Amino acid sequence: MVKNHCISKSINDAGWYKFRIWMEYFGTKFGKITVAVNPAYTSQNCSNCGETVKKSLSTRTHICQCGCLLDRDHNAAINILERALSTVGHTGTWILNPNARGDLVSTVLGENQVQQAESLNQESPRL
């Protein structure tokens, strides 16, 4: 359906909307804050100094005059996270830690893995 140029944008928009609805639902369910962020120019703005570094889509490395050298997607992810944290009033310095990972958020404290899997199966019988 996406190959039809007349309706492909509407189909893709509906898909992202549904993804956002699911993210907000699970954020509420697990007590997490979800924030929608406009991703415009996040890969072109330097996450270290804020300078705009123009690049084509084929350029995969972000190199700034301030000395910041990152993968383009990593730079954009840092900028998106900073935008999200600024809207909820949190100024996290942990985002600069290269060892910080999001793995811990998948485990609910006080419950074991089996209980979590059972709750997912109860919630969504298709899993």
Side-chain angles (χ1 to χ4, degrees), residues 50-94:
E51 184 75 25
T52 300
V53 180
K54 296 285 185 183
K55 54 183 88 65
S56 66
L57 287 175
S58 63
T59 305
R60 301 308 309 162
T61 305
H62 172 78
I63 303 171
C64 185
Q65 294 178 353
C66 70
C68 182
L69 175 66
L70 292 171
D71 179 73
R72 178 188 186 121
D73 296 334
H74 188 179
N75 179 61
I78 292 171
N79 286 332
I80 289 171
L81 182 59
E82 287 177 354
R83 285 185 188 182
L85 292 176
S86 69
T87 62
V88 294
H90 185 280
T91 56
T93 56
W94 56 272

Side-chain angles (χ1 to χ4, degrees), residues 6 23 52 54 60 104 106 116 125:
C6 296
M23 291 299 293
T52 300
K54 296 285 185 183
R60 301 308 309 162
L104 297 176
S106 64
Q116 289 181 34

Side-chain angles (χ1 to χ4, degrees), residues 6 12-13 18 25-27 34 49 54 56 65 77 89 99 112 121:
C6 296
N12 283 328
D13 288 346
K18 191 66 167 177
Y25 168 76
F26 281 110
T34 56
C49 69
K54 296 285 185 183
S56 66
Q65 294 178 353
N99 297 322
N112 64 30
N121 288 334

Side-chain angles (χ1 to χ4, degrees), residues 20-30 34 123:
R20 179 177 171 183
I21 295 300
W22 276 105
M23 291 299 293
E24 290 172 354
Y25 168 76
F26 281 110
T28 303
K29 175 138 181 70
F30 291 110
T34 56
E123 202 168 291

Side-chain angles (χ1 to χ4, degrees), residues 28-47:
T28 303
K29 175 138 181 70
F30 291 110
K32 304 294 180 189
I33 297 171
T34 56
V35 179
V37 175
N38 183 359
Y41 301 105
T42 54
S43 64
Q44 303 222 359
N45 294 339
C46 180
S47 60

